[in-house]
Amino acid sequence: MKLEENQYVRDGHVHAQLDIAGTTYNEKHIIELGGHEFIVYPNVFSPAVFPLPDHFVKTWLDLIHIIKPESVLEIGSGAGYFAILAALNGANRVTATDITQDAIENIQANIEKYNLGDRMQAVYGSVFEPFDKNDRFDVIFWDIPFCHIDKPMEELSALERTVFNPGYILSEAYLKGAHQHLTDNGRVFIAFSKMLGHPEKLLELTNKYGWRLELVVNSEQVTSNIEGIYDNKADINIYELIKL
């Protein structure tokens, strides 16, 4: 199916937040997530600009505590938020990737902040491109950009790349490649908003590449809703991709 920009993109809500990121947060700043502080560089996705619900973070921490993965891969890690939270909560081999050099340097700064250099690395590259077939992980996660925009990927600014996914080409690369990078009992997760994203397109792609989506509910049995950025609630939640 051909995607069209949704109301939030057309009405300028997303770019209004990106303008805030480019002006108010145009220097290094500190945010708190999951009870820990993170250094955030300019041009890197910041929860100060696009808030992540507390329940969303709790769901991620619950998954790490329940699965107890030896290895974790976070795609599109930004400043390394979820990868570092995984490392601080027991994962012994953690890899965080991103497609901008600013983000890679930001991840490295937070690795050093928490003295995780012996079991965590930042890797530059798009989706699974940096890895070969022998690179496998117990948990793979991406808080994937779920806003489509009618603009070629190569024309997006660094900040636009943190929230836009033209034509869902990144989603397709993730769904296509995840199978071959999981350990035998590995599990793969994705963040998504039915309101802000395009659920019909995501369903089309999951079916195409042999997955089904299952909502992950945290131990308090609460899903995530946040207000303030958009006209309505943003239902940002974590879903597991189950092999068909």
Side-chain angles (χ1 to χ4, degrees):
M1 63 176 289
K2 186 179 185 302
L3 292 181
E4 296 182 356
E5 293 180 353
N6 64 25
Q7 178 183 343
Y8 301 102
V9 177
R10 289 196 308 270
D11 291 349
H13 294 294
V14 180
H15 272 103
Q17 292 304 118
L18 293 177
D19 288 343
I20 291 172
T23 55
T24 306
Y25 296 96
N26 60 354
E27 296 181 355
K28 291 181 187 179
H29 57 281
I30 301 292
I31 64 104
E32 184 176 321
L33 200 68
H36 296 276
E37 290 188 342
F38 292 88
I39 304 163
V40 187
Y41 285 15
N43 294 320
V44 175
F45 179 90
S46 173
V49 182
F50 293 95
L52 293 169
D54 290 342
H55 293 308
F56 182 96
V57 180
K58 178 172 175 50
T59 299
W60 173 246
L61 293 175
D62 279 358
L63 285 171
I64 297 302
H65 292 150
I66 291 167
I67 299 172
K68 296 180 172 59
E70 174 70 19
S71 57
V72 172
L73 168 63
E74 185 190 8
I75 302 291
S77 193
Y81 312 109
F82 295 102
I84 283 173
L85 287 174
L88 293 174
N89 284 273
N92 288 320
R93 181 169 61 87
V94 179
T95 302
T97 77
D98 210 283
I99 57 173
T100 72
Q101 194 58 45
D102 285 341
I104 295 301
E105 292 173 6
N106 198 162
I107 296 166
Q108 192 59 46
N110 283 311
I111 289 173
E112 293 170 4
K113 174 180 173 64
Y114 286 104
N115 298 312
L116 293 171
D118 60 333
R119 53 198 176 96
M120 186 171 174
Q121 63 173 337
V123 175
Y124 177 86
S126 180
V127 198
F128 296 110
E129 288 177 359
F131 307 106
D132 63 34
K133 62 182 181 180
N134 296 316
D135 293 317
R136 296 176 181 269
F137 305 87
D138 298 323
V139 166
I140 300 175
F141 173 65
W142 192 358
D143 181 7
I144 198 165
F146 36 69
C147 288
H148 163 74
I149 188 172
D150 294 331
K151 190 175 180 180
M153 180 70 76
E154 59 270 17
E155 293 182 11
L156 298 182
S157 69
L159 276 175
E160 285 179 318
R161 285 181 174 226
T162 67
V163 293
F164 288 123
N165 183 359
Y168 272 32
I169 56 176
L170 298 175
S171 302
E172 181 159 12
Y174 187 65
L175 295 166
K176 181 180 180 180
H179 287 287
Q180 66 184 32
H181 293 291
L182 289 171
T183 55
D184 289 343
N185 296 310
R187 298 170 68 178
V188 58
F189 301 90
I190 190 171
F192 192 72
S193 166
K194 292 181 179 178
M195 179 172 292
L196 306 180
H198 298 266
E200 297 86 0
K201 182 64 175 181
L202 184 63
L203 182 60
E204 173 191 308
L205 292 173
T206 53
N207 289 337
K208 179 179 180 179
Y209 292 106
W211 304 101
R212 67 175 175 85
L213 285 173
E214 184 173 292
L215 176 67
V216 179
V217 182
N218 60 57
S219 59
E220 294 178 356
Q221 298 296 302
V222 178
T223 55
S224 301
N225 292 287
I226 55 174
E227 295 184 77
I229 295 178
Y230 304 99
D231 294 335
N232 298 296
K233 293 180 179 179
D235 56 334
I236 303 171
N237 294 295
I238 295 177
Y239 293 81
E240 183 167 8
L241 293 165
I242 309 292
K243 295 178 184 178
L244 293 177

